[in-house]
Structure formats: C-alpha cells, structure tokens
Amino acid sequence: GLSAGLNLVNNNQKVLILEKNDLPGGLVTTIKKGRFEFCTSLTEIYDSKKVLALLNDYGIDLEPLNVPLNIMIKEKETYNLNGDFADILHLILNNESDEDKLLKVIKNIYQNFQKLQKGYDDLDENFDKYLDCNVYDALKSLNVKEEMINKLTFLWIYLGSPVNKLSFIDWAVFMYQLIKGSVITLNNMDLVLKMVNKFIEKGTIYYNSKVTEINRENDLLVVKTEDQKIYKARNIVGDISKKYMFQSLIKNDFKEINRLENARRISYSNFTVYLGLNEDYETLGINNY
C-alpha cells in the first residue's frame, strides 16, 4: 500500500491511504516477545538491490550492507559472517575448487537468463546444457560432494520444489542473487517510517480506517469506513484479496473473480520459529543451521 502510494504521488496523483490498523507497514512489522524484538520480513528480501532501487526512485536513500547470502551478525557496529554455511560460502567464493567452478556456472546462467529476459538469443552452450536439468543432477555433474549439496540446497523451500525436481536454471538464478545480495540494515519500523514520511510530503494517510463498503456514484467511487466516514475517488487500489474486495466490499456477484480465486494452484506451506538466544552459537553448541 505504501509503495503504491509513493509511486502514485511521485506521478503527481492525489492519494489517500486508508489503513485499518493504528500503525503503518502491513506485513513489514515486528514482534516483541519479552526482551526480544524480531523483524518478521526484511530478512526474507533476497533480491534487496531491486527493493533499494525502488526506494531510491521514491526519493528514499538507504545504505545497503553487502553480505553474501544475507547472513549478518551485528557485533560492536561491525559485521561478521559466522557459522557453517558462511564457511562454505568463503570456500565457494575464494578457492579454486569444484565449488568455485559451481559459482562460475551459477554466474554464467544468471547472465544468460538476463539476456533471455531482454530478448537476446545468443545464449552460450552452458545455458542450453542445463535447460532440462534438475538441481541435484546438475550439482552431481559438477562433482559437488553430497554433504555440500545438502548444505547448498537448504534454500529450496523458497522455490517450493524438491531439488531432484527443481530446475537448475531457477535455482542458479536464485542463488546468484543471494550470493551477490545485500542487507537492509534498518529495522522494519524505521524503514516503514521513512516511507511514510516521504509519502506524507504529498499524500495523506488515515489510520484506524477500515474500509467496509465500496459503491459507485456517477463517475466516482464511494468508500465507507467502519467509523462511518465517506470518501470519494476516481480510482481505488486495494491491497487485499480480490475475493474479499468483490464479495465483502463491493457486494456484487462477480463469478469470474470467484472462479479465479478458486483456481489457484496448491502451493507449499511453512511455519517460522523465532529464537531469542542468550549466548552466541558456539557457547550454545549450535554447530550448523
């Protein structure tokens, strides 16, 4: 919602954001449990350079921290890589070995994928070679050891397929963006407030304003909120599900919306456990991820 609002005001549109909660940010939020505070979303941004570029377009300048695979541990204002997986990355990035060959292949596939997206067809044979290859078979063909395969492929969950069925092209592009990625060092609410402060230079936000109904009046849309306020607009951007929008707010029978909503493919599901640790990983005897 904030991003859409920033985009619109930057294109000289008059924008009002109606936020049902008393804080901005939506899913970009934090959870407090005891003395621990967890940022629930920024660590999930694997291609943060695109996010940073988008924010820069909105006039929000952020300094990213370049860290392989977004592994970051803050310690006295310096940043260190720790743990088993980070050691493997150093091996991949710095040593002439089979794993180093893998990094070169990943980079080559990423570059060819970029060409493909731009409509070029001068792709090299490395790309063609892996077009019909799954992750597991590709890594074995590159002489990557079984133990290394297990450690390199734990991120498959983001792509939703087991590694013996997942396209090596998809995995390679994903991994390259991770390895060459960066970290947004702000916490969630600091980032959100930067977006809010930039937006309200030209636009307006009303909090505790849950939309309950949308109607049409001549050429305008009429929006009612839970506190009985009424707003009129030429267009609405709904940062909610289509089904909720067209069944609960507009209150018409949109059969096509129902068909589209009910035709979604089944995807993977997961849950997240947040741990607040009193000591570092070595003291606690945590030897790997």
Side-chain angles (χ1 to χ4, degrees):
L2 279 173
S3 186
L6 280 164
N7 191 316
L8 289 165
V9 294
N10 279 4
N11 284 283
N12 302 312
Q13 300 297 313
K14 185 179 179 182
V15 183
L16 168 66
I17 293 178
L18 297 174
E19 168 59 59
K20 72 175 182 178
N21 298 312
D22 57 359
L23 286 173
L27 292 174
V28 185
T29 186
T30 60
I31 296 173
K32 276 195 171 183
K33 294 290 182 183
R35 61 188 178 83
F36 295 104
E37 183 173 357
F38 302 99
C39 289
T40 61
S41 57
L42 289 187
T43 54
E44 304 304 311
I45 300 175
Y46 79 95
D47 193 8
S48 57
K49 287 185 178 177
K50 287 184 179 178
V51 178
L52 291 165
L54 182 68
L55 293 173
N56 286 337
D57 287 344
Y58 297 153
I60 300 169
D61 293 319
L62 297 175
E63 286 296 322
L65 174 73
N66 292 314
V67 176
L69 265 170
N70 289 2
I71 300 170
M72 180 181 71
I73 294 177
K74 190 170 182 180
E75 196 170 74
K76 296 179 181 176
E77 299 306 314
T78 63
Y79 294 86
N80 302 303
L81 295 177
N82 284 314
D84 209 32
F85 198 78
D87 296 335
I88 293 166
L89 274 178
H90 281 299
L91 180 71
I92 294 171
L93 294 170
N94 298 323
N95 294 337
E96 286 296 329
S97 63
D98 287 335
E99 283 74 29
D100 186 64
K101 182 182 176 184
L102 168 62
L103 184 65
K104 289 173 182 173
V105 169
I106 287 173
K107 182 176 181 180
N108 176 271
I109 288 175
Y110 177 81
Q111 290 171 336
N112 278 272
F113 188 77
Q114 296 295 99
K115 284 184 184 178
L116 197 63
Q117 285 189 313
K118 292 174 182 175
Y120 303 134
D121 56 8
D122 58 330
L123 309 176
D124 64 36
E125 59 183 28
N126 238 346
F127 191 81
D128 294 338
K129 175 182 174 182
Y130 292 112
L131 268 177
D132 196 30
C133 194
N134 68 55
V135 176
Y136 184 81
D137 290 344
L139 293 180
K140 291 296 274 187
S141 73
L142 287 163
N143 298 317
V144 179
K145 297 179 182 65
E146 193 79 23
E147 181 187 7
M148 182 72 76
I149 290 175
N150 292 336
K151 290 171 180 174
L152 281 172
T153 54
F154 82 98
L155 285 164
W156 73 270
I157 185 67
Y158 284 88
L159 299 173
S161 299
V163 290
N164 64 348
K165 295 182 179 179
L166 175 62
S167 159
F168 184 64
I169 300 293
D170 287 343
W171 183 85
V173 171
F174 178 81
M175 284 297 288
Y176 186 80
Q177 289 173 316
L178 276 172
I179 291 168
K180 294 298 179 184
S182 57
V183 170
I184 298 172
T185 54
L186 289 176
N187 70 35
N188 286 356
M189 286 312 298
D190 284 342
L191 176 60
V192 167
L193 291 174
K194 277 184 177 287
M195 295 177 73
V196 168
N197 289 337
K198 179 56 68 172
F199 173 77
I200 60 177
E201 289 176 8
K202 298 178 181 178
T204 304
I205 300 178
Y206 292 154
Y207 298 106
N208 296 309
S209 298
K210 181 180 179 180
V211 175
T212 56
E213 193 173 326
I214 299 172
N215 294 303
R216 182 177 291 281
E217 185 180 288
N218 299 322
D219 293 331
L220 293 176
L221 294 166
V222 180
V223 178
K224 293 182 180 179
T225 58
E226 202 168 46
D227 58 357
Q228 304 304 308
K229 298 281 177 57
I230 293 177
Y231 306 95
K232 296 182 181 181
R234 291 196 308 274
N235 298 287
I236 293 172
V237 175
D239 188 19
I240 48 179
S241 79
K242 289 179 184 176
K243 195 165 189 174
Y244 181 78
M245 173 76 88
F246 286 93
Q247 281 193 340
S248 301
L249 300 184
I250 298 178
K251 301 185 189 309
N252 283 334
D253 184 20
F254 286 84
K255 291 181 180 177
E256 180 65 9
I257 293 295
N258 291 337
R259 187 188 70 78
L260 290 172
E261 284 288 312
N262 292 322
R264 287 178 176 175
R265 293 180 180 178
I266 295 173
S267 181
Y268 73 92
S269 62
N270 63 71
F271 64 91
T272 303
V273 177
Y274 295 95
L275 297 177
L277 305 179
N278 293 318
E279 302 287 350
D280 63 33
Y281 75 100
E282 288 176 325
T283 304
L284 293 168
I286 299 172
N287 299 316
N288 54 58
Y289 292 68

Short mmCIF file of all heavy atoms in Angstrom, two decimals, residues 59-100:
data_model
loop_
_atom_site.label_atom_id
_atom_site.label_comp_id
_atom_site.label_asym_id
_atom_site.label_seq_id
_atom_site.Cartn_x
_atom_site.Cartn_y
_atom_site.Cartn_z
N GLY A 59 12.79 8.49 -3.77
CA GLY A 59 13.50 9.54 -3.05
C GLY A 59 13.94 9.13 -1.66
O GLY A 59 14.27 9.98 -0.83
N ILE A 60 13.96 7.81 -1.38
CA ILE A 60 14.41 7.31 -0.08
C ILE A 60 15.77 6.66 -0.26
O ILE A 60 15.89 5.63 -0.93
CB ILE A 60 13.41 6.28 0.49
CG1 ILE A 60 12.03 6.92 0.66
CG2 ILE A 60 13.90 5.71 1.81
CD1 ILE A 60 10.93 5.93 0.96
N ASP A 61 16.81 7.28 0.27
CA ASP A 61 18.16 6.76 0.11
C ASP A 61 18.53 5.90 1.32
O ASP A 61 18.48 6.34 2.46
CB ASP A 61 19.16 7.91 -0.03
CG ASP A 61 18.95 8.68 -1.33
OD1 ASP A 61 18.69 8.02 -2.35
OD2 ASP A 61 19.02 9.92 -1.31
N LEU A 62 18.91 4.66 1.05
CA LEU A 62 19.35 3.74 2.09
C LEU A 62 20.72 3.19 1.73
O LEU A 62 21.00 2.93 0.55
CB LEU A 62 18.37 2.58 2.25
CG LEU A 62 16.95 2.92 2.68
CD1 LEU A 62 16.10 1.66 2.66
CD2 LEU A 62 16.94 3.51 4.08
N GLU A 63 21.54 3.03 2.73
CA GLU A 63 22.86 2.43 2.51
C GLU A 63 22.76 0.93 2.79
O GLU A 63 22.57 0.52 3.92
CB GLU A 63 23.89 3.06 3.43
CG GLU A 63 24.31 4.47 3.01
CD GLU A 63 25.03 4.49 1.66
OE1 GLU A 63 25.80 3.56 1.39
OE2 GLU A 63 24.79 5.42 0.88
N PRO A 64 22.91 0.09 1.76
CA PRO A 64 22.85 -1.35 2.00
C PRO A 64 24.19 -1.87 2.50
O PRO A 64 25.22 -1.23 2.33
CB PRO A 64 22.55 -1.91 0.61
CG PRO A 64 23.22 -0.93 -0.32
CD PRO A 64 23.09 0.42 0.34
N LEU A 65 24.16 -3.02 3.12
CA LEU A 65 25.37 -3.70 3.53
C LEU A 65 25.52 -4.93 2.65
O LEU A 65 24.65 -5.78 2.61
CB LEU A 65 25.27 -4.13 4.99
CG LEU A 65 26.42 -4.98 5.51
CD1 LEU A 65 27.66 -4.12 5.70
CD2 LEU A 65 26.05 -5.63 6.83
N ASN A 66 26.60 -5.00 1.89
CA ASN A 66 26.81 -6.13 1.00
C ASN A 66 27.36 -7.33 1.78
O ASN A 66 28.48 -7.28 2.28
CB ASN A 66 27.77 -5.76 -0.13
CG ASN A 66 27.15 -4.75 -1.06
OD1 ASN A 66 26.01 -4.90 -1.48
ND2 ASN A 66 27.88 -3.71 -1.38
N VAL A 67 26.56 -8.36 1.88
CA VAL A 67 26.94 -9.56 2.63
C VAL A 67 26.48 -10.77 1.83
O VAL A 67 25.34 -10.84 1.43
CB VAL A 67 26.26 -9.59 4.02
CG1 VAL A 67 26.60 -10.89 4.73
CG2 VAL A 67 26.72 -8.41 4.87
N PRO A 68 27.39 -11.75 1.58
CA PRO A 68 26.94 -12.96 0.87
C PRO A 68 25.80 -13.63 1.61
O PRO A 68 25.84 -13.81 2.82
CB PRO A 68 28.19 -13.84 0.87
CG PRO A 68 29.32 -12.88 1.03
CD PRO A 68 28.80 -11.77 1.89
N LEU A 69 24.78 -13.99 0.85
CA LEU A 69 23.64 -14.76 1.36
C LEU A 69 22.92 -14.13 2.55
O LEU A 69 22.29 -14.80 3.34
CB LEU A 69 24.08 -16.18 1.74
CG LEU A 69 23.85 -17.17 0.62
CD1 LEU A 69 24.50 -18.49 0.92
CD2 LEU A 69 22.38 -17.37 0.37
N ASN A 70 23.04 -12.82 2.67
CA ASN A 70 22.29 -12.08 3.69
C ASN A 70 22.53 -12.59 5.10
O ASN A 70 21.69 -12.42 5.98
CB ASN A 70 20.79 -12.13 3.41
CG ASN A 70 20.43 -11.28 2.20
OD1 ASN A 70 21.31 -10.70 1.58
ND2 ASN A 70 19.18 -11.20 1.87
N ILE A 71 23.67 -13.26 5.37
CA ILE A 71 23.96 -13.72 6.72
C ILE A 71 24.64 -12.56 7.45
O ILE A 71 25.71 -12.13 7.06
CB ILE A 71 24.88 -14.95 6.72
CG1 ILE A 71 24.19 -16.10 5.98
CG2 ILE A 71 25.20 -15.38 8.15
CD1 ILE A 71 25.10 -17.26 5.73
N MET A 72 24.01 -12.05 8.46
CA MET A 72 24.54 -10.87 9.13
C MET A 72 24.45 -11.03 10.63
O MET A 72 23.40 -11.37 11.16
CB MET A 72 23.76 -9.62 8.70
CG MET A 72 24.24 -8.34 9.35
SD MET A 72 23.24 -6.94 8.82
CE MET A 72 21.70 -7.29 9.66
N ILE A 73 25.55 -10.82 11.31
CA ILE A 73 25.54 -10.79 12.77
C ILE A 73 26.15 -9.47 13.20
O ILE A 73 27.28 -9.15 12.83
CB ILE A 73 26.33 -11.98 13.36
CG1 ILE A 73 25.61 -13.28 13.02
CG2 ILE A 73 26.47 -11.83 14.88
CD1 ILE A 73 26.32 -14.52 13.48
N LYS A 74 25.40 -8.68 13.94
CA LYS A 74 25.88 -7.36 14.34
C LYS A 74 26.65 -7.48 15.65
O LYS A 74 26.17 -8.04 16.62
CB LYS A 74 24.70 -6.40 14.50
CG LYS A 74 25.13 -4.95 14.67
CD LYS A 74 23.93 -4.03 14.58
CE LYS A 74 24.35 -2.58 14.70
NZ LYS A 74 23.22 -1.66 14.63
N GLU A 75 27.86 -6.94 15.68
CA GLU A 75 28.69 -7.08 16.86
C GLU A 75 29.57 -5.83 16.98
O GLU A 75 30.49 -5.64 16.20
CB GLU A 75 29.55 -8.34 16.72
CG GLU A 75 30.18 -8.81 18.01
CD GLU A 75 30.80 -10.19 17.78
OE1 GLU A 75 31.84 -10.27 17.13
OE2 GLU A 75 30.21 -11.17 18.24
N LYS A 76 29.26 -4.97 17.92
CA LYS A 76 30.04 -3.74 18.14
C LYS A 76 30.16 -2.93 16.85
O LYS A 76 31.23 -2.45 16.47
CB LYS A 76 31.42 -4.07 18.70
CG LYS A 76 31.37 -4.73 20.09
CD LYS A 76 32.76 -5.06 20.60
CE LYS A 76 32.67 -5.75 21.96
NZ LYS A 76 34.00 -6.17 22.46
N GLU A 77 29.04 -2.79 16.13
CA GLU A 77 28.96 -2.00 14.91
C GLU A 77 29.82 -2.54 13.76
O GLU A 77 30.07 -1.87 12.79
CB GLU A 77 29.33 -0.52 15.18
CG GLU A 77 28.41 0.17 16.18
CD GLU A 77 26.94 0.07 15.79
OE1 GLU A 77 26.62 0.31 14.61
OE2 GLU A 77 26.13 -0.26 16.66
N THR A 78 30.34 -3.76 13.88
CA THR A 78 30.98 -4.40 12.74
C THR A 78 30.17 -5.63 12.39
O THR A 78 29.38 -6.13 13.19
CB THR A 78 32.43 -4.83 13.06
OG1 THR A 78 32.40 -5.80 14.11
CG2 THR A 78 33.27 -3.64 13.48
N TYR A 79 30.37 -6.11 11.20
CA TYR A 79 29.55 -7.23 10.74
C TYR A 79 30.44 -8.43 10.42
O TYR A 79 31.42 -8.30 9.70
CB TYR A 79 28.74 -6.82 9.50
CG TYR A 79 27.72 -5.78 9.83
CD1 TYR A 79 28.07 -4.42 9.82
CD2 TYR A 79 26.43 -6.11 10.19
CE1 TYR A 79 27.15 -3.45 10.16
CE2 TYR A 79 25.50 -5.15 10.51
CZ TYR A 79 25.87 -3.82 10.49
OH TYR A 79 24.96 -2.86 10.81
N ASN A 80 30.11 -9.55 10.98
CA ASN A 80 30.91 -10.76 10.78
C ASN A 80 30.04 -11.88 10.24
O ASN A 80 28.86 -11.98 10.55
CB ASN A 80 31.51 -11.23 12.11
CG ASN A 80 32.35 -10.16 12.76
OD1 ASN A 80 33.29 -9.67 12.16
ND2 ASN A 80 32.00 -9.78 13.98
N LEU A 81 30.64 -12.72 9.41
CA LEU A 81 29.97 -13.94 8.98
C LEU A 81 30.36 -15.06 9.92
O LEU A 81 31.54 -15.28 10.16
CB LEU A 81 30.40 -14.29 7.55
CG LEU A 81 29.98 -13.30 6.47
CD1 LEU A 81 30.53 -13.73 5.13
CD2 LEU A 81 28.47 -13.19 6.41
N ASN A 82 29.39 -15.76 10.45
CA ASN A 82 29.66 -16.85 11.37
C ASN A 82 28.86 -18.08 10.97
O ASN A 82 27.80 -17.99 10.37
CB ASN A 82 29.28 -16.47 12.80
CG ASN A 82 30.30 -15.53 13.42
OD1 ASN A 82 31.50 -15.76 13.32
ND2 ASN A 82 29.82 -14.47 14.03
N GLY A 83 29.37 -19.24 11.35
CA GLY A 83 28.59 -20.45 11.16
C GLY A 83 29.03 -21.27 9.97
O GLY A 83 29.78 -20.85 9.10
N ASP A 84 28.52 -22.49 9.93
CA ASP A 84 28.92 -23.48 8.96
C ASP A 84 28.70 -23.01 7.53
O ASP A 84 29.56 -23.14 6.67
CB ASP A 84 28.10 -24.75 9.23
CG ASP A 84 28.85 -26.00 8.80
OD1 ASP A 84 30.09 -26.01 8.87
OD2 ASP A 84 28.18 -26.95 8.38
N PHE A 85 27.52 -22.48 7.26
CA PHE A 85 27.17 -22.12 5.89
C PHE A 85 28.05 -21.00 5.37
O PHE A 85 28.45 -20.99 4.21
CB PHE A 85 25.70 -21.72 5.81
CG PHE A 85 25.18 -21.76 4.40
CD1 PHE A 85 24.87 -22.98 3.80
CD2 PHE A 85 25.05 -20.61 3.66
CE1 PHE A 85 24.42 -23.02 2.49
CE2 PHE A 85 24.60 -20.65 2.36
CZ PHE A 85 24.28 -21.87 1.77
N ALA A 86 28.39 -20.03 6.26
CA ALA A 86 29.25 -18.93 5.85
C ALA A 86 30.64 -19.45 5.47
O ALA A 86 31.26 -18.96 4.52
CB ALA A 86 29.37 -17.91 6.97
N ASP A 87 31.13 -20.45 6.20
CA ASP A 87 32.43 -21.04 5.87
C ASP A 87 32.40 -21.66 4.48
O ASP A 87 33.36 -21.56 3.70
CB ASP A 87 32.80 -22.11 6.90
CG ASP A 87 32.98 -21.51 8.30
OD1 ASP A 87 33.29 -20.30 8.37
OD2 ASP A 87 32.81 -22.24 9.28
N ILE A 88 31.28 -22.29 4.15
CA ILE A 88 31.13 -22.89 2.82
C ILE A 88 31.15 -21.80 1.75
O ILE A 88 31.77 -21.95 0.69
CB ILE A 88 29.82 -23.70 2.74
CG1 ILE A 88 29.91 -24.90 3.65
CG2 ILE A 88 29.54 -24.14 1.31
CD1 ILE A 88 28.60 -25.57 3.90
N LEU A 89 30.50 -20.69 2.04
CA LEU A 89 30.48 -19.59 1.07
C LEU A 89 31.88 -19.07 0.81
O LEU A 89 32.25 -18.76 -0.32
CB LEU A 89 29.59 -18.46 1.58
CG LEU A 89 28.11 -18.59 1.25
CD1 LEU A 89 27.34 -17.46 1.85
CD2 LEU A 89 27.91 -18.63 -0.25
N HIS A 90 32.67 -18.93 1.88
CA HIS A 90 34.05 -18.49 1.70
C HIS A 90 34.80 -19.47 0.80
O HIS A 90 35.59 -19.07 -0.05
CB HIS A 90 34.76 -18.38 3.05
CG HIS A 90 34.40 -17.11 3.77
ND1 HIS A 90 34.67 -15.87 3.25
CD2 HIS A 90 33.80 -16.90 4.96
CE1 HIS A 90 34.25 -14.95 4.10
NE2 HIS A 90 33.71 -15.54 5.14
N LEU A 91 34.53 -20.75 0.98
CA LEU A 91 35.15 -21.77 0.15
C LEU A 91 34.75 -21.57 -1.32
O LEU A 91 35.58 -21.59 -2.22
CB LEU A 91 34.71 -23.15 0.64
CG LEU A 91 35.25 -24.37 -0.13
CD1 LEU A 91 36.73 -24.54 0.15
CD2 LEU A 91 34.49 -25.62 0.28
N ILE A 92 33.45 -21.36 -1.53
CA ILE A 92 32.94 -21.18 -2.89
C ILE A 92 33.51 -19.91 -3.52
O ILE A 92 33.91 -19.90 -4.68
CB ILE A 92 31.40 -21.09 -2.88
CG1 ILE A 92 30.81 -22.44 -2.44
CG2 ILE A 92 30.86 -20.73 -4.25
CD1 ILE A 92 29.33 -22.38 -2.20
N LEU A 93 33.56 -18.84 -2.76
CA LEU A 93 33.92 -17.55 -3.32
C LEU A 93 35.43 -17.37 -3.49
O LEU A 93 35.86 -16.60 -4.33
CB LEU A 93 33.38 -16.44 -2.42
CG LEU A 93 31.86 -16.34 -2.35
CD1 LEU A 93 31.43 -15.38 -1.26
CD2 LEU A 93 31.29 -15.90 -3.68
N ASN A 94 36.24 -18.07 -2.70
CA ASN A 94 37.66 -17.75 -2.66
C ASN A 94 38.59 -18.83 -3.19
O ASN A 94 39.74 -18.53 -3.53
CB ASN A 94 38.08 -17.43 -1.21
CG ASN A 94 37.33 -16.21 -0.68
OD1 ASN A 94 37.08 -15.28 -1.43
ND2 ASN A 94 36.97 -16.24 0.59
N ASN A 95 38.16 -20.08 -3.24
CA ASN A 95 39.09 -21.16 -3.58
C ASN A 95 38.86 -21.67 -4.99
O ASN A 95 37.74 -21.71 -5.49
CB ASN A 95 38.94 -22.33 -2.60
CG ASN A 95 39.36 -21.94 -1.21
OD1 ASN A 95 40.13 -21.00 -1.03
ND2 ASN A 95 38.87 -22.67 -0.22
N GLU A 96 39.97 -22.09 -5.63
CA GLU A 96 39.87 -22.78 -6.90
C GLU A 96 39.53 -24.24 -6.61
O GLU A 96 40.37 -25.01 -6.17
CB GLU A 96 41.19 -22.68 -7.67
CG GLU A 96 41.46 -21.30 -8.28
CD GLU A 96 40.44 -20.94 -9.34
OE1 GLU A 96 39.93 -21.86 -10.01
OE2 GLU A 96 40.14 -19.74 -9.50
N SER A 97 38.30 -24.62 -6.80
CA SER A 97 37.87 -25.98 -6.47
C SER A 97 36.63 -26.29 -7.30
O SER A 97 36.18 -25.49 -8.11
CB SER A 97 37.52 -26.07 -4.98
OG SER A 97 36.43 -25.22 -4.70
N ASP A 98 36.08 -27.46 -7.08
CA ASP A 98 34.83 -27.80 -7.78
C ASP A 98 33.73 -26.81 -7.43
O ASP A 98 32.90 -26.46 -8.26
CB ASP A 98 34.38 -29.21 -7.40
CG ASP A 98 35.27 -30.28 -8.05
OD1 ASP A 98 35.87 -29.97 -9.10
OD2 ASP A 98 35.37 -31.37 -7.50
N GLU A 99 33.74 -26.37 -6.16
CA GLU A 99 32.71 -25.43 -5.74
C GLU A 99 32.90 -24.08 -6.43
O GLU A 99 31.94 -23.38 -6.73
CB GLU A 99 32.73 -25.27 -4.22
CG GLU A 99 32.09 -26.43 -3.46
CD GLU A 99 32.99 -27.66 -3.45
OE1 GLU A 99 34.22 -27.48 -3.51
OE2 GLU A 99 32.46 -28.78 -3.40
N ASP A 100 34.15 -23.70 -6.66
CA ASP A 100 34.41 -22.46 -7.37
C ASP A 100 33.90 -22.56 -8.81
O ASP A 100 33.36 -21.61 -9.36
CB ASP A 100 35.91 -22.15 -7.36
CG ASP A 100 36.23 -20.80 -7.97
OD1 ASP A 100 35.78 -19.80 -7.39
OD2 ASP A 100 36.87 -20.75 -9.02
#
